[in-house]
Amino acid sequence: MKHREFKMKKPGLKWRIIGYMAAFSAIILVLLWLIQVVFLEEVYQTVKRSELKRSAASICRNIDNDDIETLISRISQENEICVSIYTGSGVKVAESHIDAACMLHNIPSDILFKHYYDAQNNGGQDFLVLPRGGFYNPIYDPSKFEGSVPERDEGMGESLMLTIVEKSDKSNEDMVVFLNTMTSPVSATKKALQAELSLIIAILIICSVFFSYIMARHISKPITQMSKQASKLAEGDYDVDFSGRGYRESSELAESLNYAASELSKTDKLQKELIANISHDLRTPLTMISGYAEMMRDIPGEMSAQNLQVILDESKRLSSLVGDVMDLSKLGANIESLDKSEFSLTKCIESVIDRVGKMCASEGYKIEFSCDHDAIVYADENKILQVIYNLITNAINHTGEDKRIFVRQIVSLEEKSVRIEVVDTGEGIAKEDIENIWERYYKVDRVHKRANVGSGLGLSIVKSILDLHCAKYGVESEQGKGSTFYFELS
């Protein structure tokens, strides 16, 4: 019994976006919870200690200032810090208090100055953290009360005391600066923030899921539509229309797919025409070979040299067509490589003209070649020979009633290049067809007619070979005045 293998589908773009948005929202919420709730007390304590040290540094810098009382009064009011300044001998210099319950008011002077000695032994600074106490009434019994009542207040805060010893330049004795501040309890604040964040989390989760769904749908919808259209394109429906509304990338993708569909449609149509044309060209020589052979077999006296020549000519035509198709296939598949060497382009052209001229002389064709001097190029000689042969053959097939073809060699010493032009006097090419004349399956004359020489695939082969050489090439034509095909080599 065969078991079918089920492949789990990957999540679509829409669900991926929703997942990413949910993960992002979760990270933000976790960070908010950690900062606002879990580490709130640590952050608050750090800020208060920093304020205490910053205030102490400001006072120490101005310890000899006659207006020091104004400074410590301002610091006390702005930062809620109690300040007392004494000399090392115990004489009070200045003080400012905003809280009657501060330690500076409530501890004995001998204990206060103990911190002075501790600061001296600790490099001039002593920091002390003391709990503010709690609810320790022994008579208090929470079981006597109804509802949720505290058994003990754990959020009484702390008392921070900083002692700084600073040398006075004016009196040349130690000046002792005592600073005391109270940290407020944060338990109530934490509870409020917890309730607030819980509400924010609920709202944010709902909003993030809703908006991420809308956004994901907006992004994925054009891609989903284009995917369906692409499936139709793969099935051979080239009339599909890709629309990428929504954002720039989808519009650009839709334009590219529309262009691809158009080119595929054009290629498919022209390929069918090529097959029809090749089939016609193959059938014609095969029919003639078969017909003449049967005639020579069945009719006495028809075994003549003229009939045999027809069979030979049609066989050559058939062989030429098959060879061109094979060359075109190899060049199109990029399996052809170049065998470059230095050779005389002038002699190469002369050999082609001599060979083709003899074949066409009986039909009245004249090929004229003009050059100033011998041109040496670095290229693949056999393939360039094929280019020249195909261009001249193309000119023969399309020249005018005068049956004249002109081949020109123009050497540019400045650019160190040579330009070859093949000119016919035929009907020319329409402007709308010039851009497509080199295409593999393109045919200007939609009504197929059998060429006198060649297979009709020559220009496609020329284009492929010249592209391999990275050569410049083109055609200049005007209807009623013939065409000039050219290429340049260095």
Side-chain angles (χ1 to χ4, degrees), residues 268-313:
D268 182 68
K269 183 179 179 181
L270 295 177
Q271 189 173 15
K272 289 176 180 177
E273 291 180 2
L274 174 69
I275 293 172
N277 292 340
I278 291 178
S279 299
H280 181 277
D281 283 339
L282 287 172
R283 187 183 298 111
T284 302
L286 285 173
T287 301
M288 293 189 69
I289 291 171
S290 176
Y292 272 82
E294 289 179 357
M295 181 179 65
M296 292 168 63
R297 182 196 64 187
D298 298 336
I299 302 176
E302 290 296 330
M303 183 68 70
S304 63
Q306 184 178 2
N307 291 340
L308 287 173
Q309 187 62 45
V310 171
I311 293 175
L312 289 174
D313 290 343

Side-chain angles (χ1 to χ4, degrees), residues 398-402 404 406 408 422-430 475-485:
H398 295 91
T399 195
E401 294 180 359
D402 58 359
R404 298 182 67 187
F406 303 92
R408 293 194 287 260
V422 179
V423 185
D424 64 67
T425 59
E427 296 178 356
I429 305 169
V475 57
E476 298 170 356
S477 181
E478 186 177 347
Q479 285 188 299
K481 296 185 179 180
S483 304
T484 300
F485 287 82

Side-chain angles (χ1 to χ4, degrees), residues 178-429:
F178 297 100
L179 299 97
N180 179 231
T181 187
M182 304 294 182
T183 60
S184 302
V186 296
S187 58
T189 305
K190 289 174 68 174
K191 291 177 182 178
L193 287 174
Q194 286 177 358
E196 185 179 302
L197 282 176
S198 298
L199 180 61
I200 292 174
I201 288 172
I203 295 173
L204 187 57
I205 289 174
I206 295 171
C207 290
S208 63
V209 170
F210 175 75
F211 286 113
S212 61
Y213 177 80
I214 296 299
M215 183 174 66
R217 187 177 179 184
H218 179 72
I219 293 174
S220 63
K221 186 176 180 180
I223 297 178
T224 303
Q225 291 175 345
M226 284 189 281
S227 178
K228 292 179 180 178
Q229 297 296 87
S231 299
K232 294 181 181 179
L233 178 63
E235 294 173 358
D237 183 4
Y238 301 113
D239 294 328
V240 293
D241 180 41
F242 294 92
S243 58
R245 300 181 184 88
Y247 46 97
R248 179 173 56 84
E249 287 79 4
S250 65
S251 298
E252 291 176 354
L253 177 60
E255 290 177 5
S256 300
L257 290 172
N258 282 325
Y259 177 75
S262 174
E263 291 300 308
L264 285 172
S265 176
K266 186 190 300 182
T267 300
D268 182 68
K269 183 179 179 181
L270 295 177
Q271 189 173 15
K272 289 176 180 177
E273 291 180 2
L274 174 69
I275 293 172
N277 292 340
I278 291 178
S279 299
H280 181 277
D281 283 339
L282 287 172
R283 187 183 298 111
T284 302
L286 285 173
T287 301
M288 293 189 69
I289 291 171
S290 176
Y292 272 82
E294 289 179 357
M295 181 179 65
M296 292 168 63
R297 182 196 64 187
D298 298 336
I299 302 176
E302 290 296 330
M303 183 68 70
S304 63
Q306 184 178 2
N307 291 340
L308 287 173
Q309 187 62 45
V310 171
I311 293 175
L312 289 174
D313 290 343
E314 295 302 324
S315 298
K316 289 179 182 179
R317 185 183 303 281
L318 187 61
S319 176
S320 174
L321 177 62
V322 173
D324 283 350
V325 172
M326 291 181 64
D327 289 342
L328 192 60
S329 299
K330 291 179 182 179
L331 291 167
N334 294 323
I335 59 176
E336 286 284 322
S337 59
L338 297 179
D339 183 18
K340 289 187 175 182
S341 62
E342 286 190 353
F343 64 94
S344 171
L345 182 61
T346 307
K347 292 181 180 179
C348 183
I349 296 171
E350 289 174 346
S351 67
V352 174
I353 291 175
D354 182 63
R355 184 174 58 184
V356 176
K358 288 179 180 179
M359 292 172 57
C360 302
S362 60
E363 298 181 17
Y365 290 97
K366 295 180 181 179
I367 305 173
E368 300 179 14
F369 177 48
S370 62
C371 65
D372 44 6
H373 58 272
D374 193 32
I376 305 298
V377 296
Y378 181 72
D380 188 319
E381 184 174 0
N382 289 329
K383 287 185 170 53
I384 295 301
L385 188 71
Q386 191 175 7
V387 167
I388 298 168
Y389 180 85
N390 286 347
L391 289 178
I392 293 177
T393 302
N394 180 73
I396 290 172
N397 291 337
H398 295 91
T399 195
E401 294 180 359
D402 58 359
K403 297 186 177 182
R404 298 182 67 187
I405 297 95
F406 303 92
V407 182
R408 293 194 287 260
Q409 174 186 287
I410 304 168
V411 178
S412 174
L413 298 177
E414 295 180 359
E415 299 181 2
K416 297 181 180 180
S417 64
V418 56
R419 177 184 174 107
I420 304 301
E421 296 180 350
V422 179
V423 185
D424 64 67
T425 59
E427 296 178 356
I429 305 169

Side-chain angles (χ1 to χ4, degrees), residues 99-160:
D99 187 357
C102 74
M103 290 179 61
L104 299 181
H105 276 145
N106 296 290
I107 62 174
S109 59
D110 56 337
I111 297 177
L112 187 64
F113 267 79
K114 179 182 178 297
H115 297 296
Y116 162 54
Y117 301 126
D118 291 340
Q120 279 185 320
N121 297 328
N122 197 33
Q125 180 175 317
D126 180 59
F127 190 81
L128 184 64
V129 180
L130 296 173
R132 293 180 64 178
F135 194 88
Y136 294 108
N137 190 339
I139 304 174
Y140 174 72
D141 185 0
S143 63
K144 296 179 181 180
F145 302 95
E146 295 181 1
S148 178
V149 294
E151 294 186 2
R152 179 180 176 185
D153 192 349
E154 297 178 351
M156 295 296 291
E158 294 175 332
S159 178
L160 308 179

